[in-house]
Amino acid sequence: MILVTGGAGFIGSNLINELLNKNLPTVLCDFKNKINKKYFENVQGILHFVEPVNLEEFIYKNNIKVIFHLGAISSTTFQDANKLWYNNIFTSKKIWELCYKKKIRLIYASSAATYGNGDKGFIDTQDRTYLHSLNPLNIYAWTKNEVDKRNIFYKNFLNLHPPQWVSLKFFNVYGPNENHKENMMSIVLKTFQQIKKNETTTLFKSYNSKFKDGEQKRDFVYVKDCIKVLMWFLQKKEISGIFNVGTGIARTFNDLVINVYKNMNKNINLQYIDMPKEIKNQYQYTTKADMKNLLKCGYKDTFYTLEEGIKDYVDNYLIKKNYEIS
C-alpha cells in the first residue's frame, strides 16, 4: 500500500493518477474539503481517504510500504509561523520517525526555495555544513531546509532513518491540477487566465541591475517530469539522498509568457508592474538546478523543454478541458 500526503494538491493529485494508472494500491491523505474530484482520472480507485488528524493512527494500523510526503503549507507569503512549524516541520519529523520505526520507505518534497538567492549554488548535497550555510528568503523555504537538516542529523548521528529516504528539491513546477493554488499558481496558468479574460499579462519589474524587466530566470519544470522522477525513485528502493528536480536550464519569465501567447495564437499584451514590498527582499532572480546528482544515480529520461511543456499544458489541458477561470 502506498500513501500520498497532500494527495489533493498539485503534485500529489498528479502522482495519484499515475499510481492508479499502474494499478498500485493508493491511499490519499488530505483534508476532504480540499479534494477536487475533477483532478482525478479514477477517484473510485483510491483505496482510502485519510484526514491528516488521523494519519499517525492509520500508518500504525495498516501495512504501508511507501509514503510520498507531499503535504505542506507551500505559500511563500504565509505568515503564521506556528502553523508552518506544525505542518511543515513537526509533521514531517513525525512521519520520518514513523517510517524508520515501521520500516516504511519515504520520498518527500523539499524545495528549491531552500537555496535562497542562489549565492551558495544549487547543490543537492547531504553535507550538513552546506545545508546550514543556506539562507532561505522566506519562512516556507526555511521550514523545508530545517526538515532536511534534521533528517540528515537523524541519519548521520543517530543512525535513525527509513530503509529508503529521498528528499526532492522541486524547482518551479507548472502543469495540470494547479487551479486551487490561487496566487501561488504558475505564471503559465496566470497568463492563460489573463488571455482568456482579455486582460493584460503582468510580470514584476526587476530591481536588480543585472536583470532587465521580465528577464528574471527560473528553472521551470513540467509536472509530468516531476511525476516521472517520483515514480523512478519508487522503483529504485536502494537509492537514498537529496536530489534536485528541475531541467538544469534557466529560462526567463518573458520566454514563458511569449510561449503561452504563441500557443493560444494571440498577440502579446504584456506589462511590467511594481513588486509588492512584502516579497521584494525575498525574491529569487535566478534558479537553475544542478542535475548531476540525479543523472549520476542512473536517471535517463529526458525533460520537457519549456516550449514542449507549455504546448502540452495549454493544448491538452487548459484549452481541451476548458479549465475554470478564477
Side-chain angles (χ1 to χ4, degrees), residues 80-91 142-143 146 150:
D80 189 329
N82 288 329
K83 280 189 178 180
L84 277 165
W85 173 270
Y86 182 81
N87 283 276
N88 294 9
I89 297 179
F90 181 78
T91 301
W142 175 81
T143 65
E146 287 299 305
R150 283 162 167 74

Side-chain angles (χ1 to χ4, degrees), residues 4 13 19-20 27 35 65 164 187 203 210 214 225 227 231 244 263 291 303 307 318:
V4 181
S13 59
L19 291 169
L20 294 177
V27 176
I35 295 172
K65 297 295 186 183
Q164 179 193 25
I187 300 297
L203 291 175
K210 294 180 181 178
D225 284 322
I227 303 309
M231 294 298 292
N244 287 331
N263 279 279
M291 296 300 292
F303 287 79
E307 288 78 7
L318 297 181

Side-chain angles (χ1 to χ4, degrees), residues 104 118 198 227 237:
I104 301 169
N198 294 313
I227 303 309
K237 61 183 179 181

Side-chain angles (χ1 to χ4, degrees), residues 77-314:
T77 56
F78 194 82
Q79 294 300 310
D80 189 329
N82 288 329
K83 280 189 178 180
L84 277 165
W85 173 270
Y86 182 81
N87 283 276
N88 294 9
I89 297 179
F90 181 78
T91 301
S92 295
K93 172 179 173 288
K94 288 295 295 182
I95 289 173
W96 178 276
E97 291 172 347
L98 286 167
C99 285
Y100 72 66
K101 286 175 182 176
K102 293 206 67 182
K103 308 255 183 278
I104 301 169
R105 296 162 58 195
L106 174 63
I107 302 169
Y108 69 92
S110 185
S111 171
T114 58
Y115 293 119
N117 64 12
D119 62 343
K120 301 285 196 289
F122 299 91
I123 306 166
D124 46 355
T125 177
Q126 299 179 43
D127 182 78
R128 289 183 73 244
T129 302
Y130 177 77
L131 294 174
H132 278 278
S133 76
L134 296 177
N135 185 27
L137 300 177
N138 54 65
I139 301 175
Y140 158 74
W142 175 81
T143 65
K144 288 295 187 179
N145 196 46
E146 287 299 305
V147 170
D148 284 333
K149 285 158 56 179
R150 283 162 167 74
N151 289 347
I152 294 299
F153 177 83
Y154 268 117
K155 169 186 167 285
N156 289 355
F157 293 93
L158 303 177
N159 196 29
L160 298 173
H161 58 85
Q164 179 193 25
W165 65 274
V166 177
S167 167
L168 297 178
K169 293 198 174 193
F170 292 109
F171 278 66
N172 286 74
V173 188
Y174 65 96
N177 296 2
E178 58 169 318
N179 290 45
H180 65 283
K181 289 171 67 69
E182 298 178 346
N183 65 318
M184 296 304 298
M185 69 175 61
S186 74
I187 300 297
V188 179
L189 182 53
K190 286 181 181 178
T191 300
F192 174 83
Q193 292 186 344
Q194 288 163 338
I195 293 171
K196 292 293 285 185
K197 292 188 284 189
N198 294 313
E199 294 178 351
T200 299
T201 297
T202 57
L203 291 175
F204 291 140
K205 293 177 181 177
S206 172
Y207 297 89
N208 184 326
S209 60
K210 294 180 181 178
F211 296 85
K212 295 180 180 178
D213 292 342
E215 295 297 301
Q216 303 97 317
K217 293 182 177 181
R218 293 286 184 277
D219 191 334
F220 298 107
V221 58
Y222 195 30
V223 71
K224 289 186 177 182
D225 284 322
C226 298
I227 303 309
K228 283 183 185 177
V229 172
L230 286 162
M231 294 298 292
W232 186 79
F233 277 109
L234 182 62
Q235 300 301 317
K236 302 291 182 179
K237 61 183 179 181
E238 73 281 2
I239 300 176
S240 294
I242 297 174
F243 297 89
N244 287 331
V245 183
T247 64
I249 299 171
R251 299 290 300 272
T252 70
F253 283 104
N254 284 336
D255 288 338
L256 183 150
V257 167
I258 288 168
N259 272 283
V260 178
Y261 272 88
K262 178 182 176 182
N263 279 279
M264 295 185 69
N265 296 311
K266 298 289 186 180
N267 292 324
I268 296 169
N269 180 14
L270 175 60
Q271 179 182 351
Y272 303 104
I273 62 173
D274 293 330
M275 193 179 294
K277 291 180 180 178
E278 61 267 23
I279 70 168
K280 259 188 186 180
N281 295 325
Q282 308 178 0
Y283 191 78
Q284 291 175 300
Y285 275 84
T286 186
T287 65
K288 180 182 175 182
D290 183 336
M291 296 300 292
K292 291 194 291 291
N293 201 7
L294 183 63
L295 299 177
K296 192 184 298 181
C297 285
Y299 188 82
K300 298 189 185 316
D301 276 346
T302 57
F303 287 79
Y304 281 81
T305 65
L306 184 65
E307 288 78 7
E308 291 167 344
I310 289 175
K311 180 173 177 55
D312 185 70
Y313 187 18
V314 171

